[in-house]
Amino acid sequence: MTRSDGDSWDIASSVGATAVMVALARAAETSSAAPLIRDEFAEPLVSTPELEGVRAQVASWWADGDTEAADNHAVSAEQMLNYQAVRTHFFDEFFAGAAAAGIRQHVILAAGLDSRAYRLRWPDDNVVYEIDLPLVLEYKARTLAAHGAKPATTRRAVAVDLREDWPAALREAGLDPAAPTTWLAEGLLPFLPGPAQEAMFAAIDRLSAPGSRVAVEVFGIDDEQWAQAKQRWAEAKAEREKRGEDVSFDPFDLWYDNEGRPDCAGWFGAHGWSAESVDGRDESERLGRPPGPSADDERPFLNIFVTAQKS
Ligand SMILES: C[S@@+](CC[C@H](N)C(=O)[O-])C[C@H]1O[C@@H](n2cnc3c(N)ncnc32)[C@H](O)[C@@H]1O
């Protein structure tokens, strides 16, 4: 693992590049024949010259996954795209429901290239706070401004590390803990060490007035499946390396292990929230994007979407 306490990144490196990877999936979905979600900002966000290297690496990885002979692939492009579309759809609906219920402040933890502040329909007085590292948020704001895009509501960038005192930064940016808040942690948990995850849950609880809602993508892969996937990735990576490709972006090297992580639904349930879990596989079936026939195809769909409301 290449991670260390206090490590940092820009959009084109380390954990920052994982935000590019999922935005690439949203861009591909948006331009497909029958898209489940539409993120018209994903394409401009991933198309800058500085992301050329990451784009090429992800394209090569996904292309390998789709070849007939790919018994060593990490995950096929089709499965990745389908899963990303399903998760985006789920959390889009989560925000729509929260805004319709009258919640006016929303926090996207580890926002990356999430463009919901730009693309969703928000009631007039809503505020979207986006937390991520400074260079990631700066890249997004700069790129979308150059594209002529404007946020669809008040957007406040909170450039802070989620392993540090982010609640103070969020309050300083204007979050009102006396009013209900919507929280989203999508594509985040494996990139946080276990104690930072638990501290984040506790901070969400502390900052949440009754009626607040939270949504979390919980990664369902167990240690054995993870080890197998990592092994297959290493094999595929070695082949790409042999072909002389740049393999510096290695998402498998960025995850912290599962040890000591609280169960998400259980944690919120024990702290006065009513929690529900939606199986990624069931949601994918419901939306007509089920996993393919092999165990590899199923892997991203093992994730669980946990939502909870504070009473
Ligand atoms: C896979 S991306 C997900 C981005 C976005 N939520 C989405 O789904 O499109 C992971 C994001 O987590 C952010 N991240 C990871 N660890 C973080 C930390 N300690 N503090 C702030 N942001 C972090 C990264 O910068 C990156 O943007």
Side-chain angles (χ1 to χ4, degrees), residues 60-85:
S60 168
W61 173 25
W62 286 350
D64 277 355
D66 280 341
T67 57
E68 293 259 316
D71 58 352
N72 60 353
H73 67 268
V75 63
S76 84
E78 190 187 345
Q79 300 309 314
M80 179 71 176
L81 264 47
N82 277 338
Y83 174 71
Q84 292 298 325

Side-chain angles (χ1 to χ4, degrees), residues 3 9 15-16 18-19 22 26 87 108-114 131-133 136 160-163 186-188 191-192:
R3 303 296 309 281
W9 49 83
V15 191
T18 67
V22 292
R26 290 195 291 268
R87 96 172 187 184
I108 305 178
L109 300 148
L113 300 181
D114 183 320
I131 297 183
D132 209 299
L133 293 195
V136 173
V160 64
D161 194 312
L162 286 161
R163 295 162 293 183
E186 178 187 27
L188 168 62
F191 302 112
L192 286 180

Side-chain angles (χ1 to χ4, degrees), residues 36 85-87 89-90 282-290:
L36 188 57
V86 168
R87 96 172 187 184
H89 184 274
F90 184 89
D282 293 345
E283 184 66 357
S284 305
E285 300 274 359
R286 186 179 81 79
L287 295 171
R289 299 293 186 96

Side-chain angles (χ1 to χ4, degrees), residues 176-199:
D176 176 8
T181 303
T182 311
W183 303 89
L184 173 65
E186 178 187 27
L188 168 62
L189 296 192
F191 302 112
L192 286 180
Q197 176 183 318
E198 183 151 18

Side-chain angles (χ1 to χ4, degrees), residues 32-177:
S32 68
L36 188 57
I37 55 108
R38 283 178 200 279
D39 181 353
E40 67 270 32
F41 301 107
E43 181 67 37
L45 280 167
V46 297
S47 299
T48 59
E50 63 219 273
L51 294 186
E52 198 180 331
V54 181
R55 276 199 309 273
Q57 290 190 61
V58 173
S60 168
W61 173 25
W62 286 350
D64 277 355
D66 280 341
T67 57
E68 293 259 316
D71 58 352
N72 60 353
H73 67 268
V75 63
S76 84
E78 190 187 345
Q79 300 309 314
M80 179 71 176
L81 264 47
N82 277 338
Y83 174 71
Q84 292 298 325
V86 168
R87 96 172 187 184
T88 305
H89 184 274
F90 184 89
F91 295 122
D92 281 1
E93 288 201 327
F94 168 74
F95 276 125
I103 300 181
R104 303 210 303 268
Q105 49 184 5
H106 314 276
V107 181
I108 305 178
L109 300 148
L113 300 181
D114 183 320
S115 67
R116 289 186 175 97
Y118 294 76
R119 71 181 174 81
L120 296 187
R121 281 204 196 137
W122 301 96
D124 278 349
D125 55 354
N126 279 215
V127 181
V128 175
Y129 296 89
E130 294 187 2
I131 297 183
D132 209 299
L133 293 195
L135 293 177
V136 173
L137 292 176
E138 205 181 276
Y139 170 85
K140 177 163 64 179
R142 176 168 32 94
T143 307
L144 288 180
H147 184 66
K150 289 199 174 61
T153 190
T154 304
R155 168 185 178 265
R156 296 195 182 141
V158 185
V160 64
D161 194 312
L162 286 161
R163 295 162 293 183
E164 293 171 4
D165 188 6
W166 60 268
L170 193 54
R171 291 190 66 162
E172 208 164 290
L175 185 94
D176 176 8

